[in-house]
Amino acid sequence: MTGKDIGQATIRDVAREADVSVASVSRVFNRLPNVRPELKERVEQAARKLHYVPHAGARNLSMARTGSIGIVLPDLHGEYFSEMLRGMEREAALHQRHLLLSNMHLDIGHGIEALRNMRGRVDGLIVMAPHLNLDDLFAQLPPGIPAVLLNCRANGLGMPELRVDNVAGAATMVRHLIDCGHRAIVHVEGPEGNVEAADRARGYAQAMEAAGLKPVILPGNFDEESGRRAVERLQAEQVDVDAIFAANDMTAIGVMVALRDLGVDVPTQVAVAGFDNIPLARLISPGLTTMAVDIADMGARGINRLVALIDGEAVPQMELRQPGLIIRTSSQLSAA
Amino acid sequence: MTGKDIGQATIRDVAREADVSVASVSRVFNRLPNVRPELKERVEQAARKLHYVPHAGARNLSMARTGSIGIVLPDLHGEYFSEMLRGMEREAALHQRHLLLSNMHLDIGHGIEALRNMRGRVDGLIVMAPHLNLDDLFAQLPPGIPAVLLNCRANGLGMPELRVDNVAGAATMVRHLIDCGHRAIVHVEGPEGNVEAADRARGYAQAMEAAGLKPVILPGNFDEESGRRAVERLQAEQVDVDAIFAANDMTAIGVMVALRDLGVDVPTQVAVAGFDNIPLARLISPGLTTMAVDIADMGARGINRLVALIDGEAVPQMELRQPGLIIRTSSQLSAA
DNA sequence: GGCCAGCTTGTAACCGGTTACAAGAATCCT
DNA sequence: AGGATTCTTGTAACCGGTTACAAGCTGGCC
């Protein structure tokens, strides 16, 4: 009623101009076969004359289908999320879908609001919230929304999940560092309350203990800054360290930058390893040894699953993806 | 009519359950003041019981306002776009807006389709299409859509524009390289048909000529690969070169990687410079000298302008932003 | 010619909200 | 008490599409 419509042409305007019914205009625009060519031509001419463009919102409402997918992320910082988004976008475009972004900042209240806001805007949701308890989140929502969860805390919601095997990945990395001859391996953890971070720390601790080594865990926050701080702390406390395994690549990069500033050579004096294999890991020097999660592909697969789910197809309940070890220079002791 | 509605509660269901009219339910949900507390309570209880969540699509239609902003980009590769998107997301969240992503791949046909698809889905558009002629694009669309253009070819559309002064920026960089003592400065251009690339090449050429130096321009494509290829070519053709000024940071990084592989030291043997100041530029080593465009801020400002435009406020027609020179190690000759 | 099948086309109800308008109830005057 | 005013509430039209259904038209066939 209100609203600042500049008076754009509607389907009724076109119908009047072409002297046909709205149904016919609709049929022409939806390419239904049973329209006489002469009439079709008349409609198209009228539409062109009036600069008519169909109103997607109205279409969505009457068809109960939006063609959009809601992406609910905790943040957009860093290459991790942008890679994931890129993968999603690519796949969504293949399925003729748009992506509607919604950033649920840290607390659960905003999360709930964000999700509620999506109702009627999207056909389904991709939720990535490693820092929140999803059961609480979805409790507030009407049941039955198609959704795919990416790297979330396990839950009893019966929604398809896609996860990276962070425990196994971290263990693999620890074994690699041990193979390289390192013994005093320190882990810089991710943010508290983040499932992925917790799993990586767990994998690290298990592998260390399995090798008869003592785990040492420093707090971190998945960002460059926390890598830097971890190094400062190691330095201040004179901790003996052969290798630093950071919970993700950005932290590892912070570690490397801090070590460089201190004049400590990587990898000859201290080895460094990360997790994620963001594009940057390859470009920095020395190249960062890391666990490769094909982030863009994860995103793409998430979209793929969701589209299937929306179309009513069967979708695997859970997929656990194994990250692969990428060995670059940062981890290698000259004498292995 | 069709559609796979799982039968979620509508405003009418809530009205029936609470034994009030739909208007009252609507009033409660929109926090209008004139509702008796007892009735409000009844409505809220009914809504909770039915797990009612308002249908944004329907709301949008009747209010002629979606609360979403359409972002039309040519691509999502690389840090440039993700930085911009991040800035946009931040600002949009401040204004309670969602972002609807649409990737208009390279050709104009898809571009037009993408834009048409936005009608009725968004309140306005941010268009970033340095590679397309926008007049052709918008000719196909109904006039009067609020839109802000980012780094686009000049046009007579009367839409607010936000642009980086690429000509001046490139010239500044050339002068800096000359100040560092370099003379044989080669430029690796961006993709053909891209306005930003063309402007940077123009700024480069003008500054070189002003200094009495001969411009040498190699083709490129704004990506790492093209930087690498440029180096190969210089190598193959035995071109004498003191410095390579790439059209953007990713290309410059490709150049540095290729030089490193060839055993050519940066900056002592060849200096390198880029443009954009993507986050990576600071992290790579040696640090990359570049022109800083605050990409995220550009995105945020774009959104800000667009929101003002949507709200009917006056908006400056054009803003040309000056990039700033960021001097890092990659450009400096030991003896300046 | 008459009847039926198959097209084409139009009418009107519907999607799920918002809101102008009117009516009814409560409050405040004098 | 009676009338004016204010507040609360409901009815129904509207946003701009889609589509079930019916009606009109055409042509084929006996």
Side-chain angles (χ1 to χ4, degrees):
Chain A
M1 231 52 164
T2 322
K4 37 216 58 183
D5 225 335
I6 334 235
Q8 306 213 337
T10 74
I11 198 173
R12 279 166 241 266
D13 297 327
V14 177
R16 194 175 322 114
E17 175 75 25
D19 197 29
V20 298
S21 73
V22 291
S24 292
V25 178
S26 175
R27 282 191 271 261
V28 168
F29 272 85
N30 290 309
R31 293 179 170 60
L32 296 193
N34 47 344
V35 180
R36 203 156 37 94
E38 188 267 338
L39 185 146
K40 180 171 174 230
E41 177 53 37
R42 234 162 66 218
V43 168
E44 281 169 349
Q45 209 164 329
R48 250 193 316 272
K49 177 171 169 195
L50 300 178
H51 290 281
Y52 171 67
V53 178
H55 188 288
R59 192 157 201 274
N60 296 342
L61 181 57
S62 79
M63 306 225 288
R65 190 150 203 308
T66 65
S68 302
I69 288 174
I71 308 292
V72 185
L73 304 175
D75 190 11
L76 277 177
H77 251 90
E79 277 187 302
Y80 185 89
F81 288 105
S82 63
E83 269 294 288
M84 181 151 278
L85 205 55
R86 186 169 68 81
M88 291 178 174
E89 211 286 332
R90 183 164 37 76
E91 185 73 14
L94 285 182
H95 296 277
Q96 322 259 41
R97 250 77 166 197
H98 293 274
L99 257 37
L100 189 63
L101 250 52
S102 184
N103 194 321
M104 82 162 93
H105 301 99
L106 290 174
D107 72 299
I108 192 157
H110 278 113
I112 292 176
E113 247 343 277
L115 288 191
R116 299 186 118 238
N117 266 324
M118 288 286 173
R119 145 102 156 134
R121 268 184 224 278
V122 300
D123 298 326
L125 293 171
I126 298 269
V127 178
M128 187 162 21
H131 61 302
L132 289 181
N133 186 322
L134 285 191
D135 302 85
D136 296 352
L137 236 180
F138 279 93
Q140 305 290 325
L141 295 176
I145 312 168
V148 170
L149 311 181
L150 257 46
N151 290 328
C152 288
R153 196 183 302 268
N155 66 84
L157 296 162
M159 292 169 176
E161 283 184 66
L162 219 55
R163 267 201 272 171
V164 172
D165 193 339
N166 288 300
V167 178
T172 300
M173 180 57 82
V174 170
R175 280 191 300 268
H176 164 69
L177 292 171
I178 292 173
D179 286 349
C180 288
H182 308 295
R183 291 295 171 269
I185 304 169
V186 172
H187 181 61
V188 183
E189 206 178 359
E192 205 159 343
N194 183 302
V195 220
E196 294 205 83
D199 282 356
R200 289 173 190 181
R202 194 144 45 89
Y204 158 81
Q206 285 172 4
M208 289 294 279
E209 277 156 14
L213 298 172
K214 187 166 144 285
V216 179
I217 297 184
L218 265 59
N221 200 28
F222 273 169
D223 58 6
E224 195 190 333
E225 179 57 25
S226 61
R228 230 182 323 234
R229 265 204 301 274
V231 171
E232 276 170 26
R233 187 152 149 193
L234 290 171
Q235 159 93 347
E237 301 180 8
Q238 298 278 8
V239 180
D240 173 49
V241 44
D242 298 339
I244 301 176
F245 169 31
N248 75 346
D249 287 349
M250 270 325 284
T251 307
I253 286 165
V255 166
M256 295 205 339
V257 169
L259 289 175
R260 186 206 294 164
D261 291 351
L262 248 50
V264 176
D265 187 68
V266 176
T268 55
Q269 294 180 267
V270 174
V272 176
F275 206 116
D276 285 343
N277 195 31
I278 59 178
L280 225 169
R282 178 176 59 86
L283 296 170
I284 201 158
S285 89
L288 179 63
T289 289
T290 189
M291 295 305 297
V293 179
D294 189 338
I295 313 171
D297 186 61
M298 275 277 287
R301 270 178 122 86
I303 292 290
N304 198 292
R305 291 256 188 292
L306 181 58
V307 169
L309 195 62
I310 290 170
D311 292 346
E313 295 164 28
V315 166
Q317 191 52 33
M318 160 80 162
E319 183 177 340
L320 197 62
R321 314 203 46 162
Q322 293 302 328
L325 177 63
I326 304 276
I327 302 174
R328 296 203 182 89
T329 328
S330 74
S331 62
Q332 314 223 18
L333 217 52
S334 32
Chain B
M1 231 50 162
T2 322
K4 36 217 58 180
D5 227 333
I6 336 240
Q8 306 212 339
T10 74
I11 199 172
R12 280 166 240 266
D13 297 326
V14 177
R16 196 174 323 115
E17 175 76 26
D19 197 30
V20 299
S21 73
V22 291
S24 292
V25 178
S26 176
R27 283 191 271 260
V28 169
F29 271 84
N30 290 310
R31 295 180 168 62
L32 296 194
N34 47 345
V35 179
R36 203 155 38 92
E38 187 268 337
L39 185 146
K40 178 170 176 232
E41 177 56 34
R42 233 162 64 218
V43 167
E44 281 169 349
Q45 211 164 328
R48 252 194 314 273
K49 177 170 169 199
L50 299 179
H51 290 281
Y52 171 68
V53 178
H55 188 288
R59 192 158 201 275
N60 297 343
L61 180 58
S62 79
M63 305 223 289
R65 190 152 204 307
T66 66
S68 301
I69 289 173
I71 308 292
V72 185
L73 304 175
D75 190 11
L76 277 177
H77 252 89
E79 276 187 303
Y80 185 89
F81 288 104
S82 64
E83 268 295 289
M84 180 150 280
L85 204 55
R86 184 168 71 79
M88 290 178 175
E89 211 287 333
R90 181 164 40 74
E91 185 73 14
L94 284 182
H95 295 277
Q96 323 257 42
R97 250 75 167 197
H98 293 275
L99 255 38
L100 189 64
L101 248 53
S102 186
N103 195 321
M104 83 161 92
H105 301 100
L106 290 173
D107 71 299
I108 193 158
H110 279 112
I112 293 176
E113 247 343 277
L115 288 191
R116 299 186 117 235
N117 266 324
M118 288 286 175
R119 144 101 157 136
R121 270 184 223 278
V122 301
D123 299 326
L125 293 171
I126 298 269
V127 178
M128 186 163 22
H131 61 304
L132 289 181
N133 185 323
L134 286 190
D135 302 83
D136 296 352
L137 236 180
F138 279 93
Q140 304 291 325
L141 294 176
I145 312 169
V148 170
L149 311 181
L150 257 47
N151 291 328
C152 288
R153 195 183 303 266
N155 65 84
L157 295 161
M159 292 169 175
E161 283 183 68
L162 219 55
R163 267 201 273 172
V164 172
D165 193 339
N166 288 299
V167 178
T172 300
M173 179 58 81
V174 170
R175 279 191 299 269
H176 164 67
L177 291 171
I178 291 173
D179 286 349
C180 288
H182 308 294
R183 290 296 172 268
I185 304 170
V186 172
H187 181 60
V188 183
E189 206 179 358
E192 202 159 344
N194 183 302
V195 219
E196 293 204 84
D199 283 355
R200 289 173 191 181
R202 192 144 47 91
Y204 158 81
Q206 286 172 3
M208 289 293 281
E209 276 157 14
L213 298 173
K214 187 167 143 284
V216 179
I217 297 184
L218 265 56
N221 199 30
F222 272 170
D223 58 6
E224 195 191 334
E225 179 57 24
S226 62
R228 229 181 325 231
R229 263 204 302 273
V231 171
E232 275 170 29
R233 186 151 151 193
L234 290 172
Q235 160 91 348
E237 300 180 8
Q238 298 279 10
V239 180
D240 173 50
V241 44
D242 298 341
I244 302 176
F245 169 32
N248 74 345
D249 288 349
M250 270 324 285
T251 305
I253 287 166
V255 166
M256 295 203 344
V257 169
L259 289 175
R260 187 206 294 163
D261 291 352
L262 248 50
V264 176
D265 187 69
V266 175
T268 56
Q269 294 181 265
V270 174
V272 176
F275 206 117
D276 283 345
N277 194 31
I278 60 178
L280 225 170
R282 177 177 58 87
L283 296 169
I284 201 160
S285 90
L288 178 64
T289 290
T290 189
M291 294 305 298
V293 179
D294 189 339
I295 312 172
D297 186 62
M298 274 276 288
R301 269 181 122 86
I303 292 289
N304 198 292
R305 291 258 187 290
L306 181 57
V307 168
L309 196 62
I310 290 170
D311 292 346
E313 297 165 27
V315 166
Q317 192 53 31
M318 159 80 162
E319 184 177 339
L320 197 62
R321 313 201 46 160
Q322 292 302 328
L325 177 62
I326 304 275
I327 302 174
R328 296 206 182 88
T329 328
S330 73
S331 62
Q332 315 222 14
L333 216 53
S334 33

